[in-house]
Amino acid sequence: MTSSIVAEDYGRLIVQGADRPGIVSAVSAILAGHGANVVALDQSTSDPAGGRFFQRTVFHLPDLPSKLPALGEALDAKLVDELGLTYRLVEARRHKRVAILVSKMDHCLLDLLWRQRRGELRMTVPMVISNHPDVGDDVRQFGIPFFHVPVEKERKAEAEKEQLNLLKGNVDLVVLARYMQILSGGFLDELGVPVINIHHSFLPAFMGAGPYQRAKERGVKLVGATAHYVTEDLDEGPIIEQDVIRVSHRESARDLQRRGADVERLVLSRAVSWHCDDRVIRDGNTTVVF
Amino acid sequence: MTSSIVAEDYGRLIVQGADRPGIVSAVSAILAGHGANVVALDQSTSDPAGGRFFQRTVFHLPDLPSKLPALGEALDAKLVDELGLTYRLVEARRHKRVAILVSKMDHCLLDLLWRQRRGELRMTVPMVISNHPDVGDDVRQFGIPFFHVPVEKERKAEAEKEQLNLLKGNVDLVVLARYMQILSGGFLDELGVPVINIHHSFLPAFMGAGPYQRAKERGVKLVGATAHYVTEDLDEGPIIEQDVIRVSHRESARDLQRRGADVERLVLSRAVSWHCDDRVIRDGNTTVVF
Amino acid sequence: MTSSIVAEDYGRLIVQGADRPGIVSAVSAILAGHGANVVALDQSTSDPAGGRFFQRTVFHLPDLPSKLPALGEALDAKLVDELGLTYRLVEARRHKRVAILVSKMDHCLLDLLWRQRRGELRMTVPMVISNHPDVGDDVRQFGIPFFHVPVEKERKAEAEKEQLNLLKGNVDLVVLARYMQILSGGFLDELGVPVINIHHSFLPAFMGAGPYQRAKERGVKLVGATAHYVTEDLDEGPIIEQDVIRVSHRESARDLQRRGADVERLVLSRAVSWHCDDRVIRDGNTTVVF
Amino acid sequence: MTSSIVAEDYGRLIVQGADRPGIVSAVSAILAGHGANVVALDQSTSDPAGGRFFQRTVFHLPDLPSKLPALGEALDAKLVDELGLTYRLVEARRHKRVAILVSKMDHCLLDLLWRQRRGELRMTVPMVISNHPDVGDDVRQFGIPFFHVPVEKERKAEAEKEQLNLLKGNVDLVVLARYMQILSGGFLDELGVPVINIHHSFLPAFMGAGPYQRAKERGVKLVGATAHYVTEDLDEGPIIEQDVIRVSHRESARDLQRRGADVERLVLSRAVSWHCDDRVIRDGNTTVVF
């Protein structure tokens, strides 16, 4: 997508659901009927016979804000009521509000803040929350509020409540930028917005503790990272993006970790960027990335 | 695209031209009006203001062959006459007929033949033509006709005429699988079907003779390959696919060439596969690959 | 290493063991003392304090074959008896004899045979063994003996005995080129030469049955392959080489498998090539690849 | 190399010159004779017959600083006077002093400063010099002196003189982190330390102005970066490291530039890291990277 598609009157329409004949045509007719011009359209079906339907449409509609209600009504009637689909209608000019949760490691956090400052990410960052005070100064130099919410074992529920107080209603996305605490299922439910996590990855995978040491011990030649949506099954949610970097026997376990950090920040920033542009459609435990 | 979309009744519609409002909607309406169900749709615009429009639609239409004429008439009237666009309407079951031109190096040739035999490429290979006899036995073991057309300097025009006699009307695509002869502009015009070439590539490029030796002398760390459509400007045509592979000072110039051969065959087979699935749209000197 | 280092008088010396001061110097002194000139030397230590020592030296020694016994005696005395190390002394002109075991999928097999024919791999292939007859014709077209050894469940022990009869004493390496049978620990012991296997790999890994389907269901963006030495712990042996290729939601599980096949043959051929050049040193469950 | 090899008593010895029998052995004997234990050794020869010899040795020698003079004398006598080679003897504990020159784009600069702060790069940064004032505040937040030296056309010679006054004697390496001014040959001579530059790279290359726009117009699928030593032939010096990233028709020329920036900072940081660890040996217009 060209970067000029961010002005006042651009909208994005994401449609998904059970596939059936006529969806693309129905969406096109509605958009055209309301005076919208399609700028980019990606459509995909998981299986031509009885599969899932996904469509992302970027359109230009003069005076979009005033026309959204009528457009929404038409989409409700046709797509939801008649065709049994779900949809999201988004104004491109409204940047997603993204809170970043972080512990002590700052490589993913700083990469996101820098890119945001450079205009690479169509998001605002209303707050950074950490269970440690360490990165506070760095965050505040970007002019972003920093909140320290300690998460000792005995006050985890209290801490989550505190985090929810800060987050609820204020953000559209939460990014775990190497946040080393497990979020409870209750927290995710209560939060009500998507959460993206970054996770180291190996070929083949080394689950559990000390993955870099164990990778070293088996002589892995690639280290990688996976960005995924967080579900209650820790580290098992739908994958948004992955990448790898080459290593050799010359690298110590600690070196592997450093190379891994390079991949982590690249992969996380891509995943966040795509999410903010509504390019990622989640379907059960998989994703479609347009 | 799932590989099941190759049966009798699947079609592909490629539309391109100057962008203007309403194209997506018009195409959808025509397809829906003829009973077609859209299975996959990719659309892109080079620039929302006055740019170029590209769309690839895969659809299912029961009893497609008998309905093509009427569908074609409707598309002619709306897309060509009214909206000033061009389009291609293709039956997925009709595999492209692909001739391969080759000299002595067989790595790209054998890779294509082998993939075709394994069912990876939706193409038939009616013939292989070479200016040397060397690969004839290998080709014929695949049950494919092999023609040896020598191209000595003094009989180049005669050789091209001979090649044209073999090719014209019999093929939908010509692939230069390390064919070390320059095709004349007249040959390309006369041939009338697209030609794909594979070319070594370096960062930065080393034009002219002995590229691997010169790359070695400057210490390059990556060798690559570029598959592109052939135009009269040798090696300057629109790019379809590229990739690279890592090398080091340990590799001799000859080793670089071998690593390069690995990339060449991967890149060429991807480009041919995409072309055969009508995923590559050429626009002037660039391409859109859906 | 330049490819010219394959002539009559080149040797390779691989040394490994517990690190201690003076090993490099001792090896150099012995080689120099016997008139050998070091052409390439790689040395590495897993940990400067109490780690493991690895060294690969390529040297040129005029009239090498006649001088091997004396050189071996000197190495025995110094490296083995005095310093407690192990070593391998290899004539570069002696290509490894490599048997390939395969089932029905031929992509890795054919890739190895083609590369061998093109002179890319410093190995001979005295035989191909399969539990299915399918690839026999292809193998024999390369002038290589093909043996069909069925491995029905009830005759697994018998089949392994038959394979051992064919292999023992005749090969220096066995390559499992998508051989879909598990080798017993007894077989590996009896065989007495290294076995290299190629294994699909994902980020994160999907162990067990149907990996491509499950990868598809979680939306993986990379498929990969791992070449490793076979140990009794299936698919857990020391890793020689790995690589990945990018995929998207457009690819079906079957397409993922095809892309995976491309990586598998690249990775396996690199691993076999490096093993044949004695570049891979195995140390417990890890490898050093020089 | 493991990251623990940075303590007081580790040294690095880089030897290069015309290859001849006995060099490895001579070096080993000298090191052993002075009580040094070899920790890592890489050796390579460009051509076994009459080629160039390269060796990097990391060693541990108790009380290294006091023993350097005697070791240097022995190396002078044997390697320089007798064998006609050149060598560098380096204490690992002495981090290279690296000045960074930058214009307005800060992605490479900030990446280097950040990695340095995280302990990933064995260097100190005594100063950052820019022909624009823009990045001054960011640099000073890292506690690093920032000097603004304007380089208007009419005062280029004066500016270079000013830069030399700041740099000479104070730095071991100059890094051009997207410094958009050409350095004169006289400046390079006068400076007397290596200069590393980062350069965008394409397959195939687009020299001259507007490379991203031209790449876009030909439909390139990869953008890359090359880190190299600066010579008088602008952008033609010996290559240290290269890498690429995949792009598509969806990206605008400006997006290509952003993706390119990601590769640039990764490639530059690797090149600087390797240089600081004395892993890069320059030989004419090529490099050996151990």
Side-chain angles (χ1 to χ4, degrees):
Chain A
M1 193 181 62
T2 59
S3 37
S4 49
I5 309 177
V6 289
E8 196 80 347
D9 290 335
Y10 285 92
R12 300 184 197 119
L13 174 61
I14 316 300
V15 180
Q16 70 188 109
D19 192 17
R20 46 184 294 175
I23 304 176
V24 173
S25 173
V27 171
S28 299
I30 293 173
L31 287 173
H34 285 74
N37 183 32
V38 172
V39 170
L41 192 163
D42 291 283
Q43 190 270 326
S44 180
T45 306
S46 65
D47 187 335
R52 306 277 300 163
F53 174 96
F54 309 97
Q55 181 174 338
R56 176 185 185 263
T57 310
V58 181
F59 60 89
H60 183 263
L61 176 49
D63 200 13
L64 176 65
S66 76
K67 291 176 184 162
L68 274 180
L71 185 55
E73 275 175 42
L75 292 167
D76 280 344
K78 184 74 184 177
L79 299 186
V80 182
D81 299 344
E82 193 179 321
L83 298 174
L85 302 161
T86 61
Y87 77 90
R88 277 182 294 136
L89 182 60
V90 179
E91 291 179 78
R93 72 190 170 100
R94 292 196 182 278
H95 286 197
K96 304 253 186 294
R97 302 164 302 165
V98 181
I100 302 174
L101 266 63
V102 66
S103 291
K104 288 184 172 179
M105 279 176 293
D106 62 0
H107 57 286
C108 288
L109 169 72
L110 291 179
D111 202 67
L112 288 171
L113 296 184
W114 272 354
R115 287 177 191 272
Q116 197 268 336
R117 191 175 72 176
R118 298 181 73 214
E120 285 188 25
L121 298 170
R122 283 185 270 279
M123 69 179 191
T124 60
V125 182
M127 71 187 75
V128 171
I129 301 175
S130 177
N131 54 334
H132 296 286
D134 308 48
V135 300
D137 284 353
D138 277 331
V139 169
R140 288 180 179 129
Q141 281 180 3
F142 284 89
I144 293 171
F146 172 81
F147 303 113
H148 175 211
V149 180
V151 193
E152 290 87 10
K153 249 184 196 156
E154 65 279 9
R155 63 181 296 282
K156 171 138 188 171
E158 198 184 328
E160 288 203 340
K161 202 173 157 191
E162 208 175 319
Q163 292 168 338
L164 283 171
N165 282 341
L166 291 165
L167 296 169
K168 279 203 69 172
N170 291 323
V171 300
D172 304 303
L173 174 73
V174 170
V175 174
L176 309 184
R178 303 297 286 151
Y179 180 66
M180 309 309 280
Q181 297 286 328
I182 295 171
L183 302 177
S184 71
F187 179 89
L188 292 173
D189 288 345
E190 186 78 14
L191 181 62
V193 300
V195 179
I196 292 177
N197 185 35
I198 183 74
H199 186 263
H200 66 74
S201 298
F202 293 95
L203 289 158
F206 297 91
M207 300 292 186
Y212 287 98
Q213 184 56 40
R214 287 157 63 213
K216 174 76 190 158
E217 282 161 12
R218 215 189 137 194
V220 299
K221 311 303 180 202
L222 298 174
V223 298
T226 294
H228 64 94
Y229 288 115
V230 174
T231 61
E232 286 203 44
D233 287 330
L234 184 69
D235 296 333
E236 293 289 336
I239 294 169
I240 305 170
E241 169 65 340
Q242 304 184 292
D243 214 339
V244 294
I245 213 162
R246 189 160 280 273
V247 298
S248 81
H249 66 270
R250 291 164 176 277
E251 269 106 359
S252 67
R254 197 176 155 202
D255 292 333
L256 295 195
Q257 198 160 359
R258 282 172 181 168
R259 305 298 299 273
D262 277 352
V263 200
E264 283 168 8
R265 58 185 190 151
L266 262 182
V267 167
L268 181 60
S269 71
R270 278 186 220 144
V272 170
S273 168
W274 295 342
H275 178 93
C276 288
D277 289 350
D278 298 296
R279 304 177 74 105
V280 191
I281 305 181
R282 186 171 162 178
D283 179 53
N285 211 40
T286 188
T287 60
V288 167
V289 181
F290 282 131
Chain B
M1 193 181 61
T2 59
S3 35
S4 50
I5 309 176
V6 289
E8 197 80 346
D9 290 336
Y10 285 92
R12 299 183 199 120
L13 174 61
I14 316 300
V15 180
Q16 71 187 110
D19 192 18
R20 47 183 295 174
I23 303 177
V24 172
S25 173
V27 171
S28 300
I30 292 173
L31 286 174
H34 285 73
N37 184 32
V38 171
V39 171
L41 192 164
D42 290 285
Q43 190 270 325
S44 180
T45 305
S46 66
D47 188 334
R52 305 278 300 162
F53 175 96
F54 309 96
Q55 182 175 336
R56 175 185 186 264
T57 311
V58 180
F59 59 89
H60 182 263
L61 176 49
D63 200 14
L64 177 65
S66 76
K67 291 177 182 160
L68 274 179
L71 184 56
E73 273 175 43
L75 293 167
D76 279 344
K78 185 72 184 179
L79 300 186
V80 181
D81 299 345
E82 194 178 322
L83 298 174
L85 303 162
T86 62
Y87 78 90
R88 276 182 294 136
L89 182 60
V90 178
E91 291 178 78
R93 71 187 172 101
R94 293 196 181 278
H95 287 196
K96 303 252 186 296
R97 301 165 302 165
V98 180
I100 303 174
L101 266 64
V102 66
S103 291
K104 289 184 173 178
M105 279 176 293
D106 63 0
H107 57 286
C108 287
L109 168 72
L110 291 179
D111 201 67
L112 287 172
L113 296 185
W114 183 23
R115 286 177 193 271
Q116 195 268 336
R117 191 175 72 176
R118 298 182 72 213
E120 285 188 25
L121 298 170
R122 284 186 268 280
M123 68 178 192
T124 60
V125 183
M127 73 187 75
V128 171
I129 301 175
S130 177
N131 54 332
H132 296 286
D134 309 47
V135 300
D137 284 354
D138 277 332
V139 169
R140 289 181 179 129
Q141 280 180 1
F142 283 89
I144 292 171
F146 172 81
F147 303 113
H148 176 211
V149 180
V151 192
E152 290 87 10
K153 246 182 198 158
E154 65 279 9
R155 62 182 295 283
K156 171 138 188 171
E158 198 184 328
E160 288 204 339
K161 204 174 156 188
E162 207 174 322
Q163 293 168 337
L164 283 172
N165 282 341
L166 291 165
L167 296 168
K168 279 202 67 171
N170 291 323
V171 300
D172 303 304
L173 175 72
V174 169
V175 174
L176 308 184
R178 302 297 286 152
Y179 180 67
M180 309 308 280
Q181 297 286 327
I182 295 171
L183 302 177
S184 71
F187 178 89
L188 292 172
D189 288 344
E190 186 78 13
L191 180 62
V193 301
V195 179
I196 292 178
N197 185 35
I198 183 73
H199 187 262
H200 66 75
S201 297
F202 293 95
L203 290 159
F206 296 91
M207 301 291 185
Y212 286 98
Q213 183 56 40
R214 287 157 62 213
K216 175 74 190 159
E217 282 160 12
R218 216 191 136 190
V220 298
K221 310 303 179 200
L222 298 174
V223 298
T226 294
H228 64 94
Y229 289 114
V230 174
T231 60
E232 286 203 43
D233 287 329
L234 184 70
D235 296 333
E236 292 290 336
I239 293 169
I240 304 169
E241 170 63 342
Q242 304 184 292
D243 215 337
V244 294
I245 214 163
R246 189 160 280 273
V247 297
S248 81
H249 66 270
R250 291 163 176 277
E251 270 106 358
S252 66
R254 198 177 153 200
D255 292 333
L256 294 194
Q257 198 159 359
R258 282 172 180 167
R259 305 299 300 272
D262 277 352
V263 201
E264 283 168 9
R265 57 185 191 152
L266 262 182
V267 167
L268 181 59
S269 71
R270 277 187 221 144
V272 169
S273 168
W274 296 342
H275 178 93
C276 288
D277 289 349
D278 298 298
R279 303 177 76 103
V280 191
I281 306 180
R282 187 171 160 179
D283 179 53
N285 210 41
T286 189
T287 59
V288 167
V289 181
F290 282 132
Chain C
M1 192 180 63
T2 58
S3 35
S4 49
I5 308 176
V6 289
E8 197 79 345
D9 290 335
Y10 285 93
R12 300 183 197 120
L13 174 62
I14 316 300
V15 179
Q16 70 187 109
D19 192 19
R20 47 184 294 176
I23 303 177
V24 172
S25 174
V27 170
S28 300
I30 292 173
L31 286 174
H34 285 74
N37 183 32
V38 171
V39 172
L41 192 164
D42 291 284
Q43 190 270 326
S44 181
T45 306
S46 65
D47 188 335
R52 307 277 300 162
F53 174 96
F54 310 96
Q55 182 175 338
R56 174 185 186 265
T57 311
V58 181
F59 60 89
H60 182 263
L61 177 48
D63 200 14
L64 176 65
S66 76
K67 291 175 183 161
L68 274 179
L71 185 56
E73 274 175 42
L75 292 167
D76 279 344
K78 184 72 185 178
L79 300 186
V80 181
D81 299 346
E82 192 177 324
L83 299 174
L85 302 162
T86 62
Y87 78 90
R88 278 180 293 136
L89 183 59
V90 179
E91 292 179 78
R93 72 187 171 103
R94 294 197 181 276
H95 286 197
K96 303 253 186 297
R97 300 164 302 163
V98 180
I100 303 174
L101 267 63
V102 66
S103 291
K104 288 185 172 178
M105 279 176 293
D106 63 0
H107 58 285
C108 287
L109 168 72
L110 291 178
D111 202 66
L112 288 171
L113 297 185
W114 274 355
R115 287 178 192 272
Q116 196 268 338
R117 190 175 73 176
R118 298 181 73 213
E120 286 187 25
L121 298 170
R122 285 187 267 278
M123 68 180 193
T124 60
V125 182
M127 73 187 75
V128 172
I129 301 176
S130 177
N131 54 333
H132 296 285
D134 309 47
V135 300
D137 285 353
D138 277 332
V139 170
R140 289 181 178 129
Q141 280 180 2
F142 284 88
I144 292 171
F146 173 81
F147 302 114
H148 176 210
V149 180
V151 191
E152 291 86 10
K153 249 182 196 156
E154 66 277 11
R155 62 182 298 281
K156 172 139 187 170
E158 197 184 330
E160 288 204 338
K161 203 174 157 190
E162 207 174 321
Q163 292 168 338
L164 283 171
N165 282 342
L166 291 165
L167 296 168
K168 280 203 68 172
N170 291 324
V171 300
D172 305 305
L173 174 73
V174 170
V175 174
L176 308 184
R178 303 297 285 150
Y179 180 67
M180 308 308 282
Q181 297 285 328
I182 295 171
L183 302 177
S184 72
F187 178 90
L188 292 172
D189 288 345
E190 186 78 12
L191 181 62
V193 300
V195 179
I196 293 178
N197 185 35
I198 183 72
H199 186 262
H200 67 75
S201 298
F202 292 96
L203 290 158
F206 297 91
M207 300 293 185
Y212 286 99
Q213 182 58 38
R214 286 158 63 213
K216 174 75 190 160
E217 282 161 12
R218 215 191 135 191
V220 298
K221 310 302 180 202
L222 297 174
V223 298
T226 294
H228 64 95
Y229 288 114
V230 175
T231 61
E232 287 204 44
D233 287 330
L234 184 69
D235 296 332
E236 293 289 338
I239 293 170
I240 305 169
E241 170 65 341
Q242 304 184 291
D243 214 337
V244 294
I245 212 163
R246 189 160 279 273
V247 297
S248 80
H249 65 270
R250 292 164 175 278
E251 269 107 359
S252 66
R254 198 177 154 200
D255 292 334
L256 295 194
Q257 199 160 358
R258 283 173 179 166
R259 305 298 299 272
D262 278 352
V263 200
E264 284 168 9
R265 58 185 190 149
L266 262 181
V267 167
L268 180 60
S269 71
R270 278 186 220 143
V272 170
S273 168
W274 295 343
H275 178 93
C276 288
D277 289 349
D278 298 296
R279 304 177 75 103
V280 190
I281 305 181
R282 186 170 160 178
D283 178 53
N285 210 41
T286 188
T287 61
V288 167
V289 181
F290 282 131
Chain D
M1 193 180 63
T2 59
S3 35
S4 49
I5 310 176
V6 288
E8 197 81 344
D9 289 336
Y10 285 93
R12 302 183 196 119
L13 175 60
I14 316 299
V15 180
Q16 69 188 109
D19 192 18
R20 47 183 294 173
I23 303 176
V24 173
S25 174
V27 171
S28 300
I30 292 173
L31 287 174
H34 285 74
N37 184 32
V38 171
V39 172
L41 192 164
D42 291 284
Q43 189 270 326
S44 180
T45 306
S46 65
D47 187 335
R52 305 278 300 163
F53 175 96
F54 309 96
Q55 182 175 338
R56 175 185 186 264
T57 310
V58 181
F59 60 90
H60 183 262
L61 177 49
D63 199 15
L64 176 66
S66 77
K67 291 176 183 162
L68 274 180
L71 184 55
E73 274 175 41
L75 292 167
D76 280 343
K78 185 71 184 179
L79 300 186
V80 181
D81 299 345
E82 193 178 323
L83 298 174
L85 303 162
T86 62
Y87 78 89
R88 278 181 294 136
L89 182 60
V90 179
E91 291 179 79
R93 72 188 170 101
R94 293 196 180 277
H95 287 197
K96 303 253 186 296
R97 301 165 302 164
V98 180
I100 302 174
L101 266 63
V102 65
S103 291
K104 289 185 172 178
M105 279 176 293
D106 62 1
H107 57 286
C108 287
L109 167 73
L110 291 179
D111 201 66
L112 288 171
L113 296 185
W114 183 23
R115 287 177 192 273
Q116 196 268 338
R117 191 176 72 176
R118 298 182 71 213
E120 286 187 25
L121 297 171
R122 285 187 267 280
M123 68 178 192
T124 61
V125 182
M127 72 188 74
V128 172
I129 301 176
S130 176
N131 54 332
H132 296 285
D134 309 46
V135 300
D137 284 353
D138 277 332
V139 169
R140 288 181 179 130
Q141 279 181 2
F142 284 88
I144 294 170
F146 172 82
F147 303 113
H148 175 211
V149 180
V151 191
E152 292 87 9
K153 249 184 195 154
E154 66 278 11
R155 62 182 297 283
K156 171 140 189 172
E158 198 184 329
E160 288 204 339
K161 204 174 158 189
E162 207 174 320
Q163 292 167 338
L164 283 170
N165 282 342
L166 292 164
L167 296 169
K168 280 203 69 172
N170 290 323
V171 300
D172 304 303
L173 174 73
V174 170
V175 174
L176 308 184
R178 304 295 288 151
Y179 180 66
M180 309 308 281
Q181 296 285 328
I182 295 171
L183 303 176
S184 72
F187 178 89
L188 292 172
D189 288 345
E190 186 78 12
L191 181 61
V193 301
V195 179
I196 292 178
N197 185 35
I198 183 73
H199 187 263
H200 67 75
S201 297
F202 292 96
L203 289 159
F206 296 92
M207 301 292 186
Y212 287 98
Q213 183 57 39
R214 285 158 62 213
K216 174 74 190 159
E217 282 161 11
R218 215 190 135 192
V220 298
K221 311 303 180 199
L222 298 173
V223 298
T226 294
H228 64 96
Y229 287 115
V230 175
T231 60
E232 286 204 43
D233 287 329
L234 183 70
D235 296 333
E236 294 290 335
I239 293 170
I240 305 169
E241 169 64 340
Q242 305 183 292
D243 214 338
V244 294
I245 212 163
R246 189 161 279 273
V247 297
S248 81
H249 66 270
R250 291 163 176 278
E251 270 106 359
S252 66
R254 198 178 155 199
D255 292 332
L256 295 194
Q257 199 159 359
R258 283 174 180 165
R259 305 298 299 272
D262 278 352
V263 200
E264 283 168 9
R265 58 185 191 151
L266 263 181
V267 166
L268 181 60
S269 72
R270 279 187 220 143
V272 170
S273 168
W274 295 342
H275 178 93
C276 288
D277 289 349
D278 298 296
R279 304 178 74 103
V280 191
I281 306 181
R282 186 170 160 177
D283 178 53
N285 210 42
T286 189
T287 60
V288 168
V289 181
F290 282 132

